[in-house]
Amino acid sequence: MTRVLVTGGGTGIGRAIAQSFAASGHDVTIAGRRKEPLEDTARAGNIAIRLADITDEAQVTALFDQPYDIVIANAGAGAGTRVVDTSLEDWERTLRVNLTGTFLTFREALKSMQSGGRLIAIASTASLQGGANIAAYSAAKHGVLGLVRSLAQEVARKGITCNAVCPGFVDTEIADEAVRNVMAHLNIDRDAATARLVARNPMRRMIDPAEVVAAVRFLASAEATMVNGHALSVSGGEI
Ligand SMILES: NC(=O)c1ccc[n+]([C@@H]2O[C@H](COP(=O)([O-])OP(=O)(O)OC[C@H]3O[C@@H](n4cnc5c(N)ncnc54)[C@H](OP(=O)(O)O)[C@@H]3O)[C@@H](O)[C@H]2O)c1
């Protein structure tokens, strides 16, 4: 297995995943909407870039004009609002990028993945538990697990596995956005907001992107052949 696709590979967790696979000699492609972060990540070498919006069916189809052995559906975005303040537009946008985007990515990946492969979704602890002010994100990420567990059964006899990694708060842009939401919502400073967010993690700290990478590398490895339909929590024991 050598060809790896990472959606949302220009920043944060996706960048760390892409650079890890590239550093160990895999042929890596990263996809996202903005060229600059993709180019920045690709400077590490061994990484090709593709511009694609994973919520757009035609753009996802075009992304799979070449086959991949390992496909990591990492692109996602959070929105932090109470249900009563969530517009239908925000709700649908959150479901579209986190859930529909993962569906389109895996569906198109499967069309060219004939003899073995790995499908890995970057889900969340919000896939495993709800939380105030994250209903749309949590619903979408719960949906990702439904997709992963169902697809795992469909592909089990084709040498393909489908799994999810469920991180708690990881030190990236998306976590920073969550910190800013808590600051605004509760009118508290950054340190206090960060402390509230990591309070759910028994280790009381943000997770390093490298710790998520390690889980992804395991699920993508030959040793994980029998791990299928699993949600691997990387959360210090949060859930
Ligand atoms: N950080 C955390 O605490 C945390 C915890 C649990 C789970 N996660 C999950 O981990 C994944 C990566 O998040 P991150 O923390 O690394 O955040 P991030 O740095 O904001 O990365 C998100 C990536 O997704 C891409 N993206 C967003 N919408 C897209 C779209 N429509 N089409 C294509 N690409 C799109 C973005 O690139 P463009 O904007 O250029 O398209 C960006 O590179 C997400 O699924 C997130 O839900 C994160």
Side-chain angles (χ1 to χ4, degrees):
M1 288 188 191
T2 53
R3 294 156 302 185
V4 182
L5 175 71
V6 186
T7 66
T11 62
I13 295 169
R15 167 182 290 196
I17 294 169
Q19 292 184 339
S20 167
F21 277 106
S24 46
H26 290 72
D27 206 351
V28 177
T29 300
I30 53 174
R33 293 165 303 175
R34 293 167 298 153
K35 200 173 177 192
E36 304 75 47
L38 295 172
E39 285 179 340
D40 204 33
T41 299
R43 275 192 201 104
N46 240 4
I47 299 177
I49 67 169
R50 296 288 297 266
L51 282 177
D53 182 336
I54 52 120
T55 67
D56 183 300
E57 187 173 26
Q59 290 186 38
V60 180
T61 302
L63 196 51
F64 288 92
D65 56 4
Q66 62 179 86
Y68 297 97
D69 308 296
I70 301 169
V71 172
I72 297 143
N74 162 79
T81 50
R82 297 185 305 165
V83 170
V84 289
D85 298 326
T86 302
S87 66
L88 178 60
E89 197 186 352
D90 284 347
W91 171 266
E92 288 180 340
R93 188 173 39 241
T94 305
L95 260 66
R96 203 164 170 83
V97 61
N98 292 289
L99 179 54
T100 307
T102 301
F103 155 70
L104 289 173
T105 301
F106 284 171
R107 188 190 68 182
E108 294 309 303
L110 277 171
K111 290 180 184 172
S112 53
M113 199 179 258
Q114 297 298 337
S115 56
R118 294 281 192 268
L119 301 172
I120 301 169
I122 305 304
S124 170
T125 48
S127 300
L128 302 164
Q129 63 187 353
N133 307 316
I134 58 162
Y137 181 72
S138 183
K141 291 293 192 182
H142 272 72
V144 168
L145 283 197
L147 169 67
V148 163
R149 288 169 172 151
S150 302
L151 191 49
Q153 298 195 21
E154 289 185 20
V155 298
R157 285 190 287 163
K158 295 178 180 160
I160 299 170
T161 64
C162 182
N163 290 287
V165 174
C166 300
F169 270 102
V170 185
D171 202 359
T172 63
E173 282 171 35
I174 214 173
D176 196 56
E177 195 179 315
V179 170
R180 281 186 269 114
N181 275 328
V182 172
M183 287 168 69
H185 196 70
L186 300 178
N187 197 21
I188 55 178
D189 68 18
R190 175 168 286 275
D191 285 349
T194 304
R196 283 184 81 96
L197 288 171
V198 300
R200 297 180 93 164
N201 180 338
M203 296 189 186
R204 298 284 191 277
R205 65 166 176 82
M206 289 237 189
I207 295 149
D208 192 295
E211 293 169 316
V212 181
V213 171
V216 170
R217 295 299 303 255
F218 166 67
L219 292 172
S221 72
E223 287 74 22
T225 308
M226 194 43 83
V227 181
N228 193 24
H230 186 65
L232 180 51
S233 175
V234 181
S235 67
E238 178 183 336
I239 188 161

